[in-house]
Amino acid sequence: MAKLTMVQAINQGLKVAMESNPDVVVLGEDVGRDGGVFRATEGLLDLFGNERVVDTPLSESGILGTSIGMAVYGLRPVPEIQFMGFLYPAFDQLVSQAARIRTRSTSRFTCPITLRVPYGGNVKSPELHSDSLESLIAHSPGVKIVTPSNPYDAKGLLLAAISDPDPVVFAEPLRLYRSIREEVPEGWYQIELGKAKVAREGSDVTVISWGSLLPTCLRAAELANEEGTSVEVIDLRTVSPIDAETILRSVVKTHRAVVVHEAPKSAGLGAEVAAILAEEAILDLEAPVSRVTGYDTPFPLPVVERSYVPSDRRVLEAIRACIKF
Amino acid sequence: MVAKSRSTTKDASARYSPVQILNSEGELTGPSPVIKDEQLVRTLKLMIIGRSFDQRALSLQRQGRIGTYAPISGQEAVQVVSSLCLSDDEWMFPTYRDYAAMYVHGMPLRDLFLYPMGHPQGGRAPESVNIYAISISIATHLPHAVGAAWASKIKGEKKAFMTYHGDGATSEGDFHEAMNFAGVFQVPLVTICENNGWAISLPRERQTHSETIAQKGEAYGVAAVMVDGNDILALYKVISESLDRARAGDGPTFIEAVTYRLGPHTTADDPGRYRSQEELEEMKLKDPLVRTAKYLRGLGLLSESEEAEMWEEAKSLVGDALKEAESIAPPNPDFFFDHVYAELTPNLLKQRREFVPEEAE
């Protein structure tokens, strides 16, 4: 088994999908000759030709809008939007079109699109290259959103997303594209959508996170462990539909919860997790649910971004406060 | 600079003037394409069905029997003729105002009533009918039509696709992005702009500073034609040629069909607030039904009694369809949980279990 980075695992997942299903097409800005701005689609043009690997005009709404037509007509498009902050111009096509074609046509037409989009900050990029929009998407019925935190999950979730009969946003944490290398099986395997993973077992407090901040949470858990606190870390993997069952099972055991995300705090997905715990497990809680998040500002410029994105220090402090409460 | 750009658009308007074969007096102004007599008679008959449906729908809305409705009166020629040019196995991507086009392509009149009644069956053409689901937001379906036509090309089919929009839609970003993709990827799509003069209260001349809408196609390298949208002969010629080009792999066409919305934008507005009675009276003289009937009478294909019979038949067809529509039961109140995802998510399962319907009004 080869040791791959996340971006290599995604590349391999795309190859496997295109080899096994002739209806899979990849389209987006610079995905062909250039192999994608992060090289996620490298080599696909040579393997599958320019009808299935398409360099499109610079046109986010056009990329997603034409993908919808392709999907309705029987293809399995995998469009790429270069950064999540560039999804805004295509947002109407995502939430009012792709997400609603099934409802509008009472399931005559469906929209099996996998929209690949890198997200997250701390990579010293210009404005609008670092946004995390998962809660906007999670609030939109009809679309799912998935985000891997490691190479193995990236490939398995990508193949599950491409097989899914409904539109899935596949959010790729660009900070983790090349930071982890691990064994990734060749060939086809899927990780079921809608299922969270216990990334680290523990008994004193549950940290719930996803995608870009998983390594941060695992580091914080390790630091807490050195102080004698046993931390369970849950990787949601699928942000919507959310796996409330796995969250509840863990918190009923640990009685404490910290939610960690990079997006702004207010009306972020952390609020949804806190609400699930308040509705379903209030009597099991021994401390308020704590949120460690970005701030309610636009994502800042590179010179200060390290202080915006939750750090292992901030997560550790929240764990300590939760235990001490 | 201003003067120069102005003169450029003037040049464009010289290149784009409406193709006309049948004037508003019902007289030929050029050679007619070859169309069988029965087809000419059928065209008028379908236009009359469209007008009868429209008149009935307007009165039903006033009685509170259907909801908001977007009338088609004045636009029957472009809708009927374009739809007749499209084969049954080819796809149509309509707007919410294309009732006559949808009817001709196979959508039952009953379901066309169900749409403004707010019944889900009105948003879903029967399986055998190749009509896409209507999007209310403007121009959002245009990239979908491009994508479907593109997919068909990738699959190696020889089909043409057709989509519609209004003059207002050409100001939307999705119009631009769709036309640009259509040009770059040379998809087999015919896009028809039903320029009816008004986008709710905004007149055509305030919608765009372009002399014509047709010339916008040129900017994308898409074949562009302007046609008298109330002239069935010119429409047959222009649209069938465009569809044939698409089928032959010769790329997309953008058609500006100049027509007129004789009614309000929808039953929710009053055109008296923004346009003059004089304008309306003038445009009534260009009514495509009047013009077509005059032409057919001149050819000896239509007597007064035959025309009266067409109206009677249309009214009874529409009446029967309405009865059918009104007899269709509403869906279960919890049906809206069924069509969000292929399978209910855990949250939807829970919400559906806890769901208590409100009593019917």
Side-chain angles (χ1 to χ4, degrees), chain A residues 54 57 59 61-62 65-66 69-70 73 75 92-93 97 101-109 142-143 165-166 280, chain B residues 91 124-127 129 131-132 134-135 137 140 143-144 147-148 150 155 157 174 177 181 185 339-342 350:
Chain A
V54 187
S59 181
S61 190
T66 53
M70 287 182 171
Y73 207 69
L75 298 183
D92 181 39
Q93 285 292 340
Q97 301 302 317
I101 294 295
R102 178 185 286 280
T103 301
R104 188 174 297 149
S105 67
T106 51
S107 300
R108 180 175 178 195
F109 302 117
V143 62
D166 289 302
E280 307 286 340
Chain B
W91 281 85
R124 178 191 174 122
E127 287 309 312
V129 176
I131 296 179
Y132 188 58
I134 298 166
S135 170
S137 48
T140 51
H144 308 176
W150 186 1
K155 290 178 176 197
E157 299 175 343
D174 274 341
E177 300 198 27
F181 272 64
F185 298 105
H339 303 288
V340 186
Y341 299 99
K350 186 165 182 285

Side-chain angles (χ1 to χ4, degrees), chain A:
Chain A
M1 232 186 307
K3 284 199 161 193
L4 302 182
T5 63
M6 186 186 287
V7 77
Q8 288 169 334
I10 289 166
N11 182 260
Q12 201 186 79
L14 290 169
K15 271 184 203 152
V16 170
M18 295 189 80
E19 275 160 6
S20 51
N21 185 348
D23 290 333
V24 175
V25 295
V26 164
L27 67 159
E29 295 158 19
D30 312 302
V31 298
R33 287 179 68 180
D34 195 38
V37 283
F38 294 104
R39 306 287 172 266
T41 53
E42 190 150 49
L44 299 182
L45 177 65
D46 289 340
L47 283 172
F48 302 105
N50 61 9
E51 272 206 331
R52 293 183 66 199
V53 182
V54 187
D55 279 319
T56 66
L58 208 167
S59 181
E60 285 80 10
S61 190
I63 292 166
L64 189 52
T66 53
S67 294
I68 292 169
M70 287 182 171
V72 163
Y73 207 69
L75 298 183
R76 293 250 164 191
V78 185
E80 177 184 300
I81 300 291
Q82 289 184 336
F83 294 90
M84 213 174 217
F86 300 175
L87 186 56
Y88 291 111
F91 211 67
D92 181 39
Q93 285 292 340
L94 179 63
V95 305
S96 80
Q97 301 302 317
R100 297 169 80 127
I101 294 295
R102 178 185 286 280
T103 301
R104 188 174 297 149
S105 67
T106 51
S107 300
R108 180 175 178 195
F109 302 117
T110 57
C111 205
I113 287 175
T114 301
L115 175 67
R116 293 184 40 251
V117 57
Y119 77 99
N122 262 355
V123 288
K124 299 189 165 53
S125 48
E127 202 208 340
L128 282 165
H129 285 64
S130 307
D131 290 25
S132 299
L133 309 184
E134 70 273 14
S135 65
L136 296 184
I137 295 162
H139 196 64
S140 306
V143 62
K144 300 176 181 178
I145 173 164
V146 172
T147 177
S149 67
N150 57 68
Y152 178 85
D153 283 0
K155 183 175 167 187
L157 288 168
L158 178 65
L159 290 172
I162 293 172
S163 308
D164 197 88
D166 289 302
V168 179
V169 174
F170 189 79
E172 301 171 1
L174 62 91
R175 195 162 69 238
L176 306 186
Y177 264 155
R178 292 180 173 81
S179 68
I180 315 162
R181 198 176 270 277
E182 66 178 10
E183 290 195 342
V184 174
E186 284 174 26
W188 187 292
Y189 67 95
Q190 283 182 218
I191 292 171
E192 192 183 350
L193 302 188
K195 297 289 175 201
K197 181 176 87 171
V198 177
R200 177 191 172 111
E201 286 193 27
S203 54
D204 297 333
V205 55
T206 301
V207 171
I208 299 135
S209 192
W210 50 90
S212 63
L213 285 173
L214 237 288
T216 307
C217 294
L218 290 171
R219 274 199 312 276
E222 195 50 45
L223 294 170
N225 191 51
E226 287 165 17
E227 299 174 359
T229 301
S230 167
V231 180
E232 182 144 303
V233 178
I234 290 180
D235 178 355
L236 280 188
R237 300 198 292 199
T238 299
V239 172
S240 176
I242 196 167
D243 181 1
E245 201 184 315
T246 299
I247 297 170
L248 287 165
R249 196 184 309 126
S250 176
V251 176
V252 164
K253 178 177 74 176
T254 63
H255 309 294
R256 290 173 173 85
V258 176
V259 199
V260 183
H261 60 68
E262 205 168 315
K265 185 171 190 174
S266 298
L269 215 80
E272 180 63 26
V273 173
I276 290 169
L277 293 171
E279 283 177 343
E280 307 286 340
I282 191 93
L283 298 177
D284 291 293
L285 290 172
E286 284 179 14
V289 177
S290 168
R291 289 183 282 168
V292 184
T293 68
Y295 298 98
D296 290 353
T297 69
F299 192 96
L301 294 172
V303 289
V304 292
E305 65 180 342
R306 275 179 57 79
S307 301
Y308 180 91
V309 177
S311 60
D312 46 14
R313 177 191 62 80
R314 281 175 65 195
V315 178
L316 179 63
E317 278 171 12
I319 290 169
R320 283 179 185 150
C322 205
I323 293 291
K324 223 161 74 182
F325 181 83

